[in-house]
Amino acid sequence: MTGAVFLPDAAATEALGRSLAPVLRAGDVVLLSGGLGMGKTSFARGVLSALGLEGEAPSPTFAIVQPYAPPETRLPVLHADLYRIEDAGELEELGLADALYDSALLVEWPEQVPRSYWRDPLCLTFAAAPAGGRCLTWDGSAAWERRWRPT
Ligand SMILES: Nc1ncnc2c1ncn2[C@@H]1O[C@H](COP(=O)(O)OP(=O)(O)OP(=O)(O)O)[C@@H](O)[C@H]1O
Ligand SMILES: [Mg+2]
């Protein structure tokens, strides 16, 4: 299942992230793709804020993995940015696979590891729209589409 939506500004990106939060549960993998500065962190901030996080989530660019847990968020979440990892082996050390037992994953720069690494991901790709704003294309299983689709 695929589709596309137009996000005119950063507020629209965050609002779309907020709309995903109510359906998120442990084991979910949300892959946030797109070039530098396309809105991946903005989307994640929307998700985290609607999960209850107070204040603005930091970009995980340097931490690589930023963990959240109740009571600050409704469920445990790992917000990761794989930009600086060099191979899939490093993922094991980061504990992303183990975290899926009780956490949802929000992953920026997921193309750093093979797509087959991720089980049933919801894939969101942000790109610059010609007249400003962003175009978001999404791709996910039928199960994902029953739970959530961008509008
Ligand atoms: N739909 C949008 N239209 C215009 N600007 C947007 C939109 N969504 C987010 N932005 C802006 O784009 C900039 C970069 O956003 P953000 O940091 O979320 O990108 P990113 O994809 O996480 O970048 P990086 O590749 O560095 O991780 C911010 O200034 C943000 O406000
Ligand atoms: Mg980012």
Side-chain angles (χ1 to χ4, degrees):
M1 314 281 140
T2 64
V5 291
F6 176 61
L7 300 169
D9 52 29
T13 304
E14 289 198 27
L16 188 64
R18 280 197 298 275
S19 77
L20 175 62
V23 310
L24 264 197
R25 58 193 187 211
D28 283 346
V29 176
V30 180
L31 304 182
L32 304 172
S33 299
L36 279 170
M38 283 298 120
K40 303 178 294 294
T41 299
S42 305
F43 183 91
R45 284 183 174 136
V47 174
L48 289 162
S49 124
L51 288 174
L53 186 71
E54 289 182 22
E56 187 174 82
S59 171
T61 307
F62 296 103
I64 302 186
V65 176
Q66 188 72 48
Y68 299 92
E72 64 177 347
T73 51
R74 176 176 62 77
L75 80 162
V77 178
L78 293 190
H79 180 192
D81 183 332
L82 305 184
Y83 189 71
R84 299 189 314 143
I85 76 154
E86 316 236 303
D87 61 78
E90 281 183 51
L91 278 191
E92 301 306 318
E93 294 161 34
L94 294 172
L96 295 190
D98 296 340
L100 284 169
Y101 289 105
D102 69 350
S103 310
L105 298 190
L106 306 174
V107 185
E108 300 185 41
W109 295 100
E111 41 287 296
Q112 293 285 88
V113 296
R115 172 80 176 257
S116 57
Y117 182 86
W118 312 105
R119 187 187 51 78
D120 190 25
L122 172 64
C123 303
L124 306 179
T125 303
F126 299 84
R134 305 285 187 259
C135 179
L136 170 75
T137 53
W138 58 274
D139 183 353
S141 62
W144 262 116
E145 198 190 14
R146 279 192 295 276
R147 292 170 58 198
W148 184 79
R149 54 182 296 172
T151 48

